[in-house]
Amino acid sequence: MNGSYEGLEGEWHDLFWEAEEAPDEICLLREFLEGKEGECLYVGSGSGRLLGPLVEAGFEVLGLEVSGEMISMSRERWPEAKVIEGAWQQHEGSYDRIIIPAFTFQLFEDPEKQLKRLREQAEELYVTLFFPWAELSGELPENEWYFDRAIELEDGEVGELETRHRLKESAGSLVRRHRYRYKNDKGEVLKEEETEQKLRFFTDAGLKGMLKRTGWEVVKEVDLGENYGDGVVYVATLFLKGAY
Ligand SMILES: C[S@@+](CC[C@H](N)C(=O)[O-])C[C@H]1O[C@@H](n2cnc3c(N)ncnc32)[C@H](O)[C@@H]1O
């Protein structure tokens, strides 16, 4: 399934996330959940990076995750956090609220259909989205491998990530190929794995139109990205509630 995190991509997910200095969503998630009763589903709960601390803080959140490998990590580190295995698209259920942090929603095909389905499943929704400005502006080269990030592992070993992307701006589609390399302290490659992810992205007006058509009203919008002073929002979190 598109976007199921396996192998090195899964194992190194949290380390790369940290290395990227991506915005920490835990405070926003807490704000969204604070003082509310009822059931909450976390779609794409991964290694438990955010789910674990939420459960530890006393929030009643149930994880749903498609990758068995991610679930194993989550259960090992946060045994008290419940996680169901499966793809959200096949998951039936109704909840008071659903949370989808960290761009997972953008891995789903046909976003409008999915927003409608989310509206059928819940009264409130938390979703974080990114806008691929570096790709769109040409800052990152298209159809060419480029160095993305590296992480330091134990004993001088290194995890390297190279990326290559294709963009279809009019269709709001970004395909990213990732090449993960596990190297020892001499720089020899011990393991190499490639993955591909198809992501959807939206203009502000496109997103707002889609939310309106699918019965969602924006309660709060937080710009989580770096501030380049150009008015473009790179990462945004939305708190949504059913409009009817
Ligand atoms: C970008 S990672 C984010 C993980 C976690 N939310 C975090 O912030 O640490 C996306 C996660 O969603 C999972 N995923 C992708 N598609 C899914 C689907 N259709 N249903 C359930 N989980 C999915 C992936 O396996 C991966 O663990």
Side-chain angles (χ1 to χ4, degrees):
M1 149 153 287
N2 178 52
S4 176
Y5 280 52
E6 321 281 345
L8 293 177
E9 182 156 70
E11 198 180 320
W12 290 346
H13 171 275
D14 294 3
L15 294 170
F16 274 112
W17 204 266
E18 255 173 57
E20 200 184 352
E21 292 175 13
D24 186 6
E25 290 190 60
I26 201 83
C27 293
L28 275 179
L29 284 161
R30 289 183 72 123
E31 183 186 331
F32 178 73
L33 296 171
E34 203 75 66
K36 290 176 182 164
E37 304 246 309
E39 283 190 288
C40 174
L41 181 75
Y42 179 161
V43 176
S45 53
S47 65
R49 185 180 71 96
L50 300 168
L51 174 69
L54 287 174
V55 170
E56 199 174 49
F59 294 104
E60 275 186 44
V61 182
L62 172 66
L64 173 67
E65 171 55 55
V66 70
S67 158
E69 293 177 32
M70 296 304 270
I71 295 181
S72 299
M73 285 190 258
S74 181
R75 290 191 179 140
E76 197 177 307
R77 181 148 182 229
W78 306 98
E80 63 288 9
K82 287 197 199 83
V83 183
I84 309 171
E85 181 165 355
W88 170 73
Q89 289 83 343
Q90 271 89 56
H91 178 77
E92 302 290 339
S94 77
Y95 299 88
D96 294 287
R97 55 201 60 86
I98 293 182
I99 55 178
I100 321 183
F103 327 130
T104 306
F105 178 77
Q106 286 167 276
L107 295 166
F108 299 169
E109 224 174 284
D110 197 345
E112 183 150 346
K113 184 173 147 202
Q114 311 313 343
L115 281 170
K116 217 164 155 189
R117 187 164 184 268
L118 284 162
R119 180 66 196 95
E120 284 156 16
Q121 286 193 343
E123 288 303 316
E124 289 181 64
L125 177 65
Y126 171 112
V127 64
T128 297
L129 304 169
F130 84 101
F131 189 72
W133 191 245
E135 285 88 348
L136 280 165
S137 65
E139 194 185 306
L140 293 172
E142 195 172 350
N143 251 326
E144 237 178 72
W145 286 106
Y146 52 86
F147 172 79
D148 198 322
R149 272 164 286 157
I151 46 166
E152 272 179 47
L153 303 164
E154 280 166 31
D155 306 322
E157 292 171 341
V158 173
E160 262 180 26
L161 170 61
E162 287 182 315
T163 300
R164 176 187 176 130
H165 74 265
R166 273 180 293 124
L167 197 63
K168 278 196 201 134
E169 190 172 351
S170 56
S173 139
L174 171 68
V175 177
R176 274 183 182 160
R177 241 189 126 68
H178 291 307
R179 186 188 279 155
Y180 291 90
R181 281 206 185 107
Y182 175 35
K183 289 183 173 174
N184 65 14
D185 57 351
K186 297 185 195 77
E188 294 159 345
V189 179
L190 304 177
K191 210 196 246 184
E192 184 174 305
E193 288 177 9
E194 278 191 28
T195 63
E196 188 171 282
Q197 281 181 0
K198 184 169 178 186
L199 294 141
R200 287 90 198 158
F201 60 91
F202 325 98
T203 59
D204 192 49
L207 177 66
K208 297 290 156 59
M210 203 158 60
L211 290 172
K212 204 166 174 200
R213 290 193 296 278
T214 52
W216 289 110
E217 193 180 306
V218 179
V219 175
K220 181 167 177 160
E221 188 170 349
V222 185
D223 173 4
L224 281 175
E226 290 170 72
N227 187 355
Y228 293 96
D230 52 9
V232 179
V233 174
Y234 298 86
V235 186
T237 292
L238 299 168
F239 291 10
L240 304 166
K241 68 167 188 185
Y244 42 82

